[in-house]
Amino acid sequence: MLGPPYERQTIDLGTDDEGPVVATLVRRRADRPTGRAVLYVHGFVDYFFQTHLADFYAARGWDFYALDLRKYGRSLLPHQTPNFCRDLSDYFPELDAAAEIIRAGDGHDTLLVMGHSTGGLIISLWAHARRDAGLVDGLVLNSPFFDINAPWLVRRPLAAAVARLGRRAPHRALPFGLGTVYGESLHADHRGEWTYDLTWKPLAGFPVRAGWLAAIRTAQRQLRAGLDIRVPVLLACSTRSFRGTRWHDSAALADAVLDVEHMVRWAPRLGRHVTVARFDGGKHDLVLSGPTVREQVFTEVGRWAEAFLGAGPTRPADTAPADAEAPVPGTRAPSADETPAASALPTA
């Protein structure tokens, strides 16, 4: 869907109660490789389309990889419930496989893992579970999903009731969802600047199912009890949240999905080396914020990686062309009229 220089590799994950399961690893090699790599993991109702993020890392010598998790994006098969899981550890096999490909298969000696929203929660639990394996050198969490954005009665007693329902009827659709405000703030057909496949990332999202919400609640409880991530962590989020259900211009300058104060509150539970960076005017996906904000995000990520990963400079080389961070000719984000059938192509 993206064309050269993007490549894709399908990871066979066997079968589950819905049938065959796959994940998809997308790769964009740096022009001047350094032995460093970054693995990006998307959030709920999402998939990888942020090519400008790949350009940022590739211009600094990092080979870029993105994982479309099982039942998301390029990995979503016709017989599957979109974005559904019963436990966030279900995603550990594709993360293990991706790390093996990046380290052993492609020979990288440094691996930074970056996760957005639910992806940030998933990679936090994975890094904790694999803390003795030496797979990861650092984490970047982009607005991680550390708590449910709702009043206490909903986050705790009602969520507990939903968890019980999730065990009995995991595919039961719940009578609430994401709304359209955040999607409107992103997509170029509405009030945003980005073009992506609305089949894989619908404006109002996919139905929230009881089993998925139970899995989220279990994972968040584990996080709040305390993890032991032994590598440096950068947690980045906006300075404020937007809680309206109808469009207002302030939604374009805030996190319109989660409560950013939850992220900051629970950040110390990740491990002993956590840096928090907040960005005024940042959206839920910080790298999809306005140009000024996302440049600030990229600058901070670059500085943090230089300071804490011990991997040498992450700035573009002095010999890099002036437009090194511009989209590579021939690449593009998927347009809204492209369908999941395009994922059968050999490129990503």
Side-chain angles (χ1 to χ4, degrees):
M1 292 194 62
L2 300 179
Y6 291 90
E7 305 166 287
R8 60 177 288 160
Q9 180 172 345
T10 299
I11 300 171
D12 186 352
L13 298 168
T15 62
D16 67 5
D17 59 345
E18 293 187 321
V21 181
V22 300
T24 308
L25 188 64
V26 176
R27 177 175 63 191
R28 186 224 193 282
R29 297 181 185 271
D31 293 333
R32 302 177 307 279
T34 59
R36 303 193 294 269
V38 59
L39 173 63
Y40 173 78
V41 181
H42 57 77
F44 183 60
V45 190
D46 208 358
Y47 72 102
F48 170 67
F49 64 91
Q50 299 89 338
T51 54
H52 62 294
L53 176 63
D55 294 338
F56 164 78
Y57 282 107
R60 289 153 177 79
W62 296 71
D63 285 346
F64 181 88
Y65 297 78
L67 187 63
D68 277 13
L69 299 167
R70 64 184 71 196
K71 306 185 183 183
Y72 284 85
R74 299 166 181 84
S75 307
L76 178 61
L77 302 178
H79 60 272
Q80 293 176 331
T81 303
N83 301 186
F84 181 76
C85 75
R86 296 174 183 267
D87 193 289
L88 294 198
S89 64
D90 291 349
Y91 300 118
F92 290 3
E94 51 255 59
L95 287 165
D96 292 339
E100 176 72 12
I101 291 167
I102 294 168
R103 283 196 175 274
D106 290 352
H108 295 93
D109 52 33
T110 300
L111 176 58
L112 171 65
V113 184
M114 181 175 187
H116 167 57
S117 196
T118 304
L121 178 60
I122 293 168
I123 67 170
S124 296
L125 298 179
W126 177 69
H128 168 77
R130 302 292 186 265
R131 59 190 179 277
D132 296 321
L135 297 178
V136 180
D137 295 288
L139 296 184
V140 174
L141 307 180
N142 172 2
S143 305
F145 188 13
F146 284 175
D147 211 338
I148 298 169
N149 185 12
W152 181 86
L153 286 174
V154 177
R155 297 201 314 270
R156 300 298 182 261
L158 183 58
V162 170
R164 292 191 292 272
L165 174 63
R167 289 191 289 271
R168 299 192 307 271
H171 286 88
R172 176 79 60 84
L174 301 176
F176 53 81
L178 299 180
T180 63
V181 171
Y182 179 56
E184 289 180 51
S185 78
L186 297 182
H187 203 278
D189 288 350
H190 297 272
R191 306 172 192 272
E193 61 177 295
W194 307 101
T195 302
Y196 50 81
D197 192 326
L198 290 170
T199 305
W200 291 344
K201 187 176 173 63
L203 204 66
F206 293 111
V208 174
R209 300 186 182 274
W212 178 86
L213 192 60
I216 292 294
R217 179 178 179 272
T218 298
Q220 291 176 341
R221 290 179 68 190
Q222 182 182 353
L223 166 80
R224 294 194 297 269
L227 304 181
D228 183 21
I229 299 174
R230 297 174 184 173
V231 297
V233 179
L234 172 63
L235 188 152
C237 63
S238 183
T239 57
R240 57 188 179 272
S241 296
F242 174 83
R243 293 178 174 82
T245 57
R246 295 183 179 181
W247 177 260
H248 187 277
D249 287 348
S250 59
L253 300 172
D255 190 320
V257 178
L258 298 179
D259 187 331
V260 294
E261 300 306 325
H262 291 161
M263 305 170 198
V264 176
R265 177 182 180 183
W266 299 115
R269 302 297 177 93
L270 292 163
R272 290 169 287 181
H273 192 158
V274 181
T275 303
V276 174
R278 305 184 69 171
F279 298 90
D280 190 30
K283 293 184 181 181
H284 177 53
D285 187 342
L286 290 169
V287 305
L288 300 182
S289 303
T292 300
V293 176
R294 64 178 181 260
E295 182 62 30
Q296 293 171 354
V297 172
F298 288 153
T299 298
E300 189 65 27
V301 170
R303 292 174 56 214
W304 176 87
E306 284 187 40
F308 294 119
L309 295 193
T314 58
R315 295 181 300 274
D318 293 338
T319 56
D323 61 349
E325 294 188 41
V328 178
T331 67
R332 56 186 172 84
S335 61
D337 61 355
E338 291 178 308
T339 68
S343 66
L345 299 174
T347 53

